[in-house]
Amino acid sequence: MSTHPDDFRLTPEAVKVLAHPLRSRLLGTLRRGGPATATTLATALSTNSGATSYHLRKLESVGLVADTGEGAGKQRLWRAATSSHSWAPSELSDDEDAATALGWLERDYLRLFSTDFGHWLDVAEAWPGEWQDAAGMGDSWVTVNPDQLKALRRELDEVLERYRDADAAPDGRRVTFWSAAFPLEPDDIPDTGADSNDADAAGQGTDADGRRTGRS
């Protein structure tokens, strides 16, 4: 679920391509840092340019990255094709390989969040107090049905979009904003007579960073 005008909806083929440790990191690096060559990306991700070029072409084949056409000589300059991607598990569940790939991808984003937030905690004391007070994490709970949950997430996306479109403050820094919504009692599974659209309420929106998560 996303309000980004250029959001990429993951197809079964795209999620199977993206669910790879290096490909996921390549896409996230291009979204965070902007266009780069395979050599630059390989250095940043501690791999080799041959493997990087191969995986960039795989991402290109499903529309997740693109060649800018501005590379020098034989060096291709790559960019992320969109600023985010999203998905709904119900749209992928009929393809067993795609469903398995999505499960890996979601857990990879969970690992990414744990790593990134853990690094912030490691260095937070070196930051000014006002930043330490402004950053952080928290949790809350509400009682909603699937339609209400989707509406709630849309409203949160709209708030983030307003800040994304606003002019940056002189002392502004880029901030990653992760969110997750899931049942408070996950073992209390609704009976099979429930609305078949319920599964779509768990559809995710990135960054990687999402990334977050679609911007991974």
Side-chain angles (χ1 to χ4, degrees), residues 1-7 153-154 157-158 160-161 164:
M1 185 179 302
S2 173
T3 58
H4 309 148
D6 68 342
D7 181 66
R153 296 182 62 215
R154 279 195 299 270
D157 274 345
E158 289 166 3
L160 289 171
E161 200 67 27
R164 192 175 295 117

Side-chain angles (χ1 to χ4, degrees), residues 17-106:
V17 167
L18 183 58
H20 181 282
L22 182 53
R23 293 173 197 163
S24 181
R25 287 188 296 156
L26 284 168
L27 180 58
T29 301
L30 288 172
R31 283 184 175 156
R32 288 192 302 270
T37 65
T39 300
T40 300
L41 291 165
T43 300
L45 298 176
S46 300
T47 185
N48 64 77
S49 58
T52 301
S53 293
Y54 169 78
H55 291 298
L56 285 166
R57 291 194 298 272
K58 294 293 288 185
L59 290 168
E60 181 186 32
S61 72
V62 293
L64 286 165
V65 305
D67 184 345
T68 66
E70 300 173 354
K74 294 183 178 180
Q75 285 272 26
R76 301 176 72 180
L77 187 64
W78 296 93
R79 64 174 178 83
T82 65
S83 62
S84 70
H85 57 268
S86 62
W87 62 87
S90 61
E91 295 176 2
L92 305 170
S93 59
D94 289 340
D95 185 321
E96 184 176 352
D97 290 339
T100 299
L102 177 60
W104 181 91
L105 191 63
E106 290 179 313

Side-chain angles (χ1 to χ4, degrees), residues 124-166:
E125 290 185 357
W127 280 65
E130 59 185 355
W131 275 101
Q132 295 184 49
D133 291 344
M137 65 184 299
D139 68 301
S140 183
W141 62 270
V142 295
T143 301
V144 293
N145 64 25
D147 286 340
Q148 290 172 319
L149 179 55
K150 286 186 281 188
L152 170 59
R153 296 182 62 215
R154 279 195 299 270
E155 291 178 32
L156 293 174
D157 274 345
E158 289 166 3
V159 171
L160 289 171
E161 200 67 27
R162 289 204 302 272
Y163 281 88
R164 192 175 295 117
D165 292 340

